[in-house]
Amino acid sequence: MIDVRHATQMGILCSWYKKRNMRYSIIILPLMVVLISACPFYGYNYNEGTLPDIPVNLEDFNTEYDDYNMSSPIFGDMVPFCFSTNRVSKGGNFNIRYDPMSVVFSKATGELTVKNDYGAWNSLVEEFGVLLNAVKKVNTTGNELGPCLLYSRYTGFADADFVLLYASDQDGDFDIGYTFNNDTSDFSDSQPVAFLNTEFNDLYPSFNSDFSKIYFCSDREDEVFNIFRVGVDYADDEIIGVLSDTEDHVVEIDAVLSSEYDDKCPHIFENTLVFTSNRPGGYGGFDLYYSKFEGGQWGAPVNFGAVINTAFDEYRPILFNEDVDNDRDMMVFSSNRAGGKGGFDLYFVGVIK
């Protein structure tokens, strides 16, 4: 609560000081510093939040089943969170689920909480609630994995509000598809991204920062998953024109990011690409890696280290700015490490920008 007496005294003091000769500044300035620091109106116990250095279980989102493969497009403390889970089938096929995520930091207590709700942003229920219609359009009796959610408020799309990309094996191998809406709560029927799909498994699409390339993973070469890229003609802010293109595109393996082992789940945030790999040199199973885009190319992948990776599997990392920590981005990933609710659980951790 604001102390009115202190605020009034400060106002009088500031007005008086402006009228005085500057020769009094030596006396007055130290006095002002003391008064400002003592007055609760001018600060909080904690002015900046800090994301954890050690992964924390996202308990509100996890079940005894597998919960993983998530996506979020939002910069800020209200996150429309999409992920894959087999809870509905009780351990069978995977479907995509939408849940709101609130990331809240208390400047009074310093506590950081991440919950499955809208928190103080109930005004966004209608805006983001339409995503329930999106997942209904893409879920089938097969497996739906690797959602990639894009939102025009942050991308500037002229022909879509939300775009949800994903992969499904309903017809056998995994193919990449999408649904979208535009000025309505109704989403389109799911359509394939034809130039990305083959008779092999193609999953986890992610655009680079200027939407000139799509990165994804596929086992189209030697039955090992590698990271591929394809250039696209993104113009006039029209994303649906890119995804609906039926012409053939040149698809190239990214030799820097890929290895002789399984390299999967690429996700790009600004100039950083994160992915998972079971290449040698890790801590066991699949580990999380990152690469920086510098000088027009991706740098050699770097393991996130033993604080984040374990002897179990760490899978499908994503990065976003949660508007809490000025020095760290929030990374969400899934892991089947011990201590969770069962199967794969979702975790979050702060990583240096």
Side-chain angles (χ1 to χ4, degrees):
M1 180 179 295
I2 297 173
D3 189 324
V4 177
R5 181 184 59 185
H6 283 187
T8 302
Q9 290 174 347
M10 283 304 302
I12 295 172
L13 179 58
C14 291
S15 176
W16 175 84
Y17 173 71
K18 290 178 182 179
K19 297 177 181 179
R20 302 299 295 172
N21 191 286
M22 287 301 294
R23 63 190 175 91
Y24 292 105
S25 61
I26 296 176
I27 299 173
I28 298 300
L29 284 177
L31 177 60
M32 290 183 67
V33 170
V34 171
L35 287 171
I36 290 172
S37 61
C39 179
F41 178 72
Y42 286 90
Y44 298 88
N45 293 331
Y46 302 88
N47 288 317
E48 179 185 337
T50 301
L51 287 165
D53 295 321
I54 299 174
V56 176
N57 190 291
L58 281 167
E59 294 183 358
D60 269 15
F61 298 86
N62 293 318
T63 64
E64 61 187 290
Y65 300 102
D66 292 313
D67 304 291
Y68 70 168
N69 276 227
M70 54 285 144
S71 177
S72 172
I74 294 301
F75 305 164
D77 39 20
M78 172 55 218
V79 180
F81 193 61
C82 290
F83 61 100
S84 294
T85 178
N86 60 2
R87 66 183 66 180
V88 175
S89 63
K90 300 186 182 301
N93 65 297
F94 285 86
N95 289 139
I96 295 175
R97 178 183 177 91
Y98 161 69
D99 277 324
M101 176 191 288
S102 61
V103 183
V104 181
F105 168 69
S106 171
K107 290 186 177 182
T109 66
E111 183 181 7
L112 177 70
T113 58
V114 182
K115 294 184 176 181
N116 179 3
D117 60 28
Y118 283 92
W121 299 275
N122 284 325
S123 60
L124 299 178
V125 171
E126 182 176 356
E127 180 177 351
F128 294 134
V130 299
L131 292 171
L132 294 172
N133 297 330
V135 298
K136 289 179 182 178
K137 286 291 187 179
V138 304
N139 287 333
T140 70
T141 55
N143 293 288
E144 282 71 50
L145 302 178
C148 175
L149 181 62
L150 306 172
Y151 187 26
S152 63
R153 179 186 289 188
Y154 303 98
T155 59
F157 295 150
D159 55 352
D161 290 336
F162 285 103
V163 179
L164 178 63
L165 292 99
Y166 68 102
S168 176
D169 67 352
Q170 183 185 23
D171 296 325
D173 59 277
F174 277 99
D175 285 333
I176 296 172
Y178 70 96
T179 183
F180 71 98
N181 73 328
N182 193 359
D183 297 327
T184 177
S185 61
D186 295 328
F187 278 75
S188 68
D189 290 335
S190 180
Q191 300 293 326
V193 185
F195 59 87
L196 297 181
N197 296 324
T198 63
E199 66 272 23
F200 299 94
N201 293 296
D202 306 293
L203 307 94
Y204 300 99
S206 182
F207 281 89
N208 64 348
S209 58
D210 65 1
F211 291 92
S212 63
K213 292 183 176 65
I214 301 176
Y215 286 76
F216 66 104
C217 66
S218 176
D219 62 353
R220 62 183 67 188
E221 293 187 7
D222 301 326
E223 297 183 354
V224 172
F225 278 95
N226 290 299
I227 297 176
F228 292 81
R229 64 175 181 262
V230 54
V232 295
D233 185 18
Y234 177 63
D236 301 321
D237 297 325
E238 294 187 353
I239 191 67
I240 304 306
V242 170
L243 299 175
S244 62
D245 190 353
T246 58
E247 297 294 327
D248 289 336
H249 288 61
V250 176
V251 179
E252 302 173 301
I253 188 172
D254 193 299
V256 173
L257 301 175
S258 301
S259 67
E260 296 178 357
Y261 297 83
D262 288 316
D263 304 295
K264 305 178 71 175
C265 313
H267 179 270
I268 299 172
F269 177 65
E270 296 179 346
N271 70 331
T272 303
L273 185 147
V274 289
F275 67 101
T276 188
S277 177
N278 62 358
R279 64 184 63 189
Y283 295 88
F286 279 92
D287 275 11
L288 304 184
Y289 291 79
Y290 70 90
S291 172
K292 293 288 188 179
F293 192 79
E294 298 174 336
Q297 62 183 3
W298 293 107
V302 179
N303 189 294
F304 270 106
V307 174
I308 291 177
N309 290 310
T310 67
F312 296 90
D313 291 319
E314 280 69 51
Y315 215 69
R316 176 51 165 176
I318 65 170
L319 288 174
F320 56 89
N321 184 335
E322 79 312 317
D323 200 27
V324 167
D325 193 324
N326 291 333
D327 299 320
R328 294 173 175 84
D329 288 322
M330 185 170 176
M331 182 164 73
V332 180
F333 65 95
S334 50
S335 177
N336 60 356
R337 63 184 65 187
K341 289 188 175 182
F344 277 89
D345 274 12
L346 299 163
Y347 292 82
F348 78 98
V349 68
V351 296
I352 298 297
K353 293 183 180 180

